[in-house]
Amino acid sequence: DQINKLVHTLSLKHYSRGAKVFEQGEAGRAFFVIAEGEVEVSMDSCVIRTLGKGTSFGERAVLFEEPRNATVAVSSESADLWSMDRGEFQSIIS
């Protein structure tokens, strides 16, 4: 039942190269899973890692209602990201 809920609450969003998914310090409103493409994760303007297809990010800020601890921007030509907002995410995992 939880997997069914998860699948039905995800929405697919398309981003172009350079688009910021979110910025360090923002409130965490959504959790993301990369369907296609790559993103760079940076802290204090320094790239710390690159994430690709099948990788998730953003869960910590959503789970603990903390500000984002990094900026995430699209590094590939484009990226398709599945997203779920905080309320949906918390209702599924609780």
Side-chain angles (χ1 to χ4, degrees), residues 65-85:
E65 298 185 34
E66 299 174 343
R68 299 287 189 188
N69 62 8
T71 296
V72 175
V74 176
S75 57
S76 55
E77 194 63 36
S78 64
D80 292 326
L81 307 178
W82 290 105
S83 68
M84 180 184 304
D85 74 28

Side-chain angles (χ1 to χ4, degrees), residues 23-28 60-61 64-70 86:
E23 292 193 58
Q24 187 174 356
E26 287 181 353
R60 184 169 177 82
F64 302 112
E65 298 185 34
E66 299 174 343
R68 299 287 189 188
N69 62 8
R86 173 185 283 143

Side-chain angles (χ1 to χ4, degrees), residues 11-58:
S11 62
L12 189 63
K13 297 182 181 181
H14 182 79
Y15 295 83
S16 299
R17 182 190 304 271
K20 289 184 180 171
V21 181
F22 55 74
E23 292 193 58
Q24 187 174 356
E26 287 181 353
R29 294 184 183 90
F31 158 77
F32 299 88
V33 178
I34 302 172
E36 292 292 333
E38 291 185 339
V39 299
E40 284 183 340
V41 180
S42 58
M43 293 178 78
D44 303 319
S45 302
C46 184
V47 175
I48 58 170
R49 73 178 62 95
T50 300
L51 304 174
K53 184 176 181 174
T55 307
S56 62
F57 60 93

